[in-house]
Amino acid sequence: MRIVSGIQPTGSLHLGNLLGAILRWVEMQEEAEASRFFFLADLHAITVDTDPAALRDNVYDMTAALLASGVDPDRSVLFAHSDVPAHAELQWMLGCIARMGWLSRMTQFKAKSGKNREKASVGLYSYPVLQAADVMLYQATHVPVGEDQKQHIELARDIADAFNHRVGEELFTAPAPYIGTGRAARVMSLRDASNKMSKSDPSDMSRINLIDDDDTIRTKIKKARTDPEPLPDTLDALDERPEARNLVGIMAAVTGRSEDAVLADHAGQGFGAFKPALADALVARLAPIRDRLEALRGDRAHLDSVLDAGAAKAREAAQPTLEKAYRALGLRR
Ligand code: TYM
């Protein structure tokens, strides 16, 4: 098993990132036979206008957030991908393999570029190719991500297959998305359950951030949109109630239970009773992570040493595959 995944260092970590990806990275550290590469996708962050000083701060803050969540640099290689030039180098080669038509189907580009597609950066359009390079460089077999990244990882599979076909050898492993079960794979906005919880949502009330204090978490859950019905005793009965479904799913994910088990405990309760229980569960899960984050984020020397050591290991791991790719295409003498 080679486990590879990344996160953009924009803003702070939210509950969707944590449940959809980061806590699953942490769980996968228990796999003794696996190697693991987790990175801050800072090259992705510049596909849109980004303030350079803020980006640098965000890389530190996100590194602290990952460490606080349990990513362990002794068991996982943790680095910023701009420190490993092989990502950008392989990206160029893969960009000559991937087809315009494949990229034009990417729903995230359509959503992020909006109506003004002609004004979007070339990097925003082609960044799924960089994402393919990110995982292929380490011959990833498993890419733990939330549901929203599935399409990009499937594209990476197509790119790996097309590269192998072009050079006539099985140089790259086709990576597979590794998506969690239940609501953790797709945590929805607290204000509108038809949208995913996201750092780009203008309303901070739509998401729980790792840096939110206990009172803020309680207020956000109290104000989360719901309906007046009590909770049912079967999951099917939540099909037409997306807000209720989202909160039950969050409760299940933060307490490590199935959604059915949550309903077994809370069936018949209205949200006046369920929401405080959910807020308590969130505070119990998030407060210790937040406290560790606060302690770590000021210690830049420590964060630098973690990122420097990770980058050195990642450069070493990536180099043989990068060289093989150059040679297979007829480059390098
Ligand atoms: P990013 O930074 O948007 O999100 C990081 C991880 O969090 C997951 N996630 C969610 N999961 C469940 N519910 C949500 N509401 C939610 N919001 C975010 C994402 O699925 C992701 O797993 N392009 C990637 C970063 C990246 C990457 C890679 C990922 C760059 N290279 C290579 C995997 C492999 C991104 O923007 O994720």
Side-chain angles (χ1 to χ4, degrees), residues 7 35 40 72 94 102 112 147 223 231 237 283 294:
I7 182 165
S35 53
L40 292 309
D72 171 4
L94 301 185
W102 302 355
K112 282 202 172 174
E147 184 76 40
K223 299 229 164 124
L231 285 171
V283 166
E294 290 307 331

mmCIF file of all heavy atoms in Angstrom, residues 7 35 40 72 94 102 112 147 223 231 237 283 294:
data_model
loop_
_atom_site.group_PDB
_atom_site.id
_atom_site.type_symbol
_atom_site.label_atom_id
_atom_site.label_comp_id
_atom_site.label_asym_id
_atom_site.label_seq_id
_atom_site.Cartn_x
_atom_site.Cartn_y
_atom_site.Cartn_z
ATOM 1 N N ILE A 7 -3.686 18.477 0.778
ATOM 2 C CA ILE A 7 -4.713 19.462 1.144
ATOM 3 C C ILE A 7 -4.201 20.843 0.789
ATOM 4 O O ILE A 7 -3.006 21.121 0.940
ATOM 5 C CB ILE A 7 -5.069 19.361 2.651
ATOM 6 C CG1 ILE A 7 -6.165 20.354 3.025
ATOM 7 C CG2 ILE A 7 -3.832 19.575 3.543
ATOM 8 C CD1 ILE A 7 -6.823 20.080 4.354
ATOM 9 N N SER A 35 3.507 2.731 3.023
ATOM 10 C CA SER A 35 4.243 3.989 3.121
ATOM 11 C C SER A 35 3.243 5.116 2.852
ATOM 12 O O SER A 35 2.259 4.936 2.131
ATOM 13 C CB SER A 35 5.402 4.032 2.130
ATOM 14 O OG SER A 35 4.954 3.753 0.838
ATOM 15 N N LEU A 40 1.070 19.567 1.794
ATOM 16 C CA LEU A 40 0.356 20.826 1.648
ATOM 17 C C LEU A 40 0.446 21.177 0.169
ATOM 18 O O LEU A 40 1.559 21.352 -0.358
ATOM 19 C CB LEU A 40 1.050 21.931 2.437
ATOM 20 C CG LEU A 40 1.061 21.905 3.963
ATOM 21 C CD1 LEU A 40 -0.338 21.713 4.483
ATOM 22 C CD2 LEU A 40 1.993 20.893 4.558
ATOM 23 N N ASP A 72 1.543 12.004 11.994
ATOM 24 C CA ASP A 72 2.758 11.765 12.770
ATOM 25 C C ASP A 72 3.955 11.684 11.810
ATOM 26 O O ASP A 72 4.053 10.743 11.026
ATOM 27 C CB ASP A 72 2.557 10.441 13.530
ATOM 28 C CG ASP A 72 3.820 9.951 14.203
ATOM 29 O OD1 ASP A 72 4.844 10.662 14.161
ATOM 30 O OD2 ASP A 72 3.778 8.841 14.774
ATOM 31 N N LEU A 94 3.007 14.940 -17.890
ATOM 32 C CA LEU A 94 1.624 14.427 -17.898
ATOM 33 C C LEU A 94 0.684 15.351 -18.673
ATOM 34 O O LEU A 94 -0.292 14.899 -19.280
ATOM 35 C CB LEU A 94 1.106 14.247 -16.463
ATOM 36 C CG LEU A 94 1.907 13.292 -15.579
ATOM 37 C CD1 LEU A 94 1.204 13.131 -14.226
ATOM 38 C CD2 LEU A 94 2.089 11.925 -16.236
ATOM 39 N N TRP A 102 -10.622 15.734 -21.526
ATOM 40 C CA TRP A 102 -10.713 15.140 -20.179
ATOM 41 C C TRP A 102 -10.816 16.250 -19.134
ATOM 42 O O TRP A 102 -11.595 16.168 -18.195
ATOM 43 C CB TRP A 102 -9.480 14.283 -19.855
ATOM 44 C CG TRP A 102 -9.217 13.155 -20.800
ATOM 45 C CD1 TRP A 102 -9.986 12.753 -21.845
ATOM 46 C CD2 TRP A 102 -8.081 12.285 -20.777
ATOM 47 N NE1 TRP A 102 -9.404 11.686 -22.477
ATOM 48 C CE2 TRP A 102 -8.231 11.368 -21.835
ATOM 49 C CE3 TRP A 102 -6.959 12.181 -19.960
ATOM 50 C CZ2 TRP A 102 -7.293 10.375 -22.114
ATOM 51 C CZ3 TRP A 102 -6.022 11.193 -20.232
ATOM 52 C CH2 TRP A 102 -6.187 10.287 -21.298
ATOM 53 N N LYS A 112 -15.452 26.416 -10.084
ATOM 54 C CA LYS A 112 -14.559 27.481 -9.599
ATOM 55 C C LYS A 112 -14.400 28.602 -10.614
ATOM 56 O O LYS A 112 -14.172 29.752 -10.242
ATOM 57 C CB LYS A 112 -13.183 26.902 -9.258
ATOM 58 C CG LYS A 112 -13.158 26.183 -7.933
ATOM 59 C CD LYS A 112 -11.748 26.111 -7.376
ATOM 60 C CE LYS A 112 -11.744 25.561 -5.967
ATOM 61 N NZ LYS A 112 -10.417 25.340 -5.443
ATOM 62 N N GLU A 147 -15.419 12.786 -1.165
ATOM 63 C CA GLU A 147 -16.144 12.499 -2.413
ATOM 64 C C GLU A 147 -15.849 13.531 -3.525
ATOM 65 O O GLU A 147 -15.751 13.182 -4.706
ATOM 66 C CB GLU A 147 -17.643 12.520 -2.042
ATOM 67 C CG GLU A 147 -18.612 12.176 -3.117
ATOM 68 C CD GLU A 147 -18.672 10.689 -3.421
ATOM 69 O OE1 GLU A 147 -18.625 9.878 -2.476
ATOM 70 O OE2 GLU A 147 -18.747 10.367 -4.615
ATOM 71 N N LYS A 223 -27.700 27.210 15.282
ATOM 72 C CA LYS A 223 -28.295 27.957 14.159
ATOM 73 C C LYS A 223 -28.334 27.146 12.864
ATOM 74 O O LYS A 223 -28.799 27.636 11.839
ATOM 75 C CB LYS A 223 -27.469 29.229 13.918
ATOM 76 C CG LYS A 223 -27.450 30.165 15.113
ATOM 77 C CD LYS A 223 -27.770 31.576 14.704
ATOM 78 C CE LYS A 223 -28.143 32.421 15.891
ATOM 79 N NZ LYS A 223 -27.346 33.601 16.050
ATOM 80 N N LEU A 231 -36.501 13.089 14.907
ATOM 81 C CA LEU A 231 -35.663 12.140 14.157
ATOM 82 C C LEU A 231 -36.381 10.802 14.015
ATOM 83 O O LEU A 231 -37.004 10.325 14.974
ATOM 84 C CB LEU A 231 -34.320 11.951 14.863
ATOM 85 C CG LEU A 231 -33.355 13.118 14.686
ATOM 86 C CD1 LEU A 231 -32.136 12.945 15.592
ATOM 87 C CD2 LEU A 231 -32.916 13.265 13.230
ATOM 88 N N ALA A 237 -35.815 7.122 6.060
ATOM 89 C CA ALA A 237 -36.779 8.192 6.320
ATOM 90 C C ALA A 237 -36.115 9.572 6.280
ATOM 91 O O ALA A 237 -36.800 10.594 6.341
ATOM 92 C CB ALA A 237 -37.452 7.953 7.670
ATOM 93 N N VAL A 283 -17.602 19.350 20.445
ATOM 94 C CA VAL A 283 -16.650 20.015 21.348
ATOM 95 C C VAL A 283 -15.685 18.976 21.930
ATOM 96 O O VAL A 283 -14.465 19.190 21.981
ATOM 97 C CB VAL A 283 -17.404 20.792 22.453
ATOM 98 C CG1 VAL A 283 -16.460 21.202 23.569
ATOM 99 C CG2 VAL A 283 -18.104 22.017 21.855
ATOM 100 N N GLU A 294 -3.144 25.246 18.797
ATOM 101 C CA GLU A 294 -2.713 26.540 19.347
ATOM 102 C C GLU A 294 -1.285 26.454 19.873
ATOM 103 O O GLU A 294 -0.490 27.384 19.727
ATOM 104 C CB GLU A 294 -3.661 27.017 20.453
ATOM 105 C CG GLU A 294 -5.032 27.448 19.950
ATOM 106 C CD GLU A 294 -4.962 28.498 18.829
ATOM 107 O OE1 GLU A 294 -3.999 29.284 18.785
ATOM 108 O OE2 GLU A 294 -5.872 28.498 17.975
#
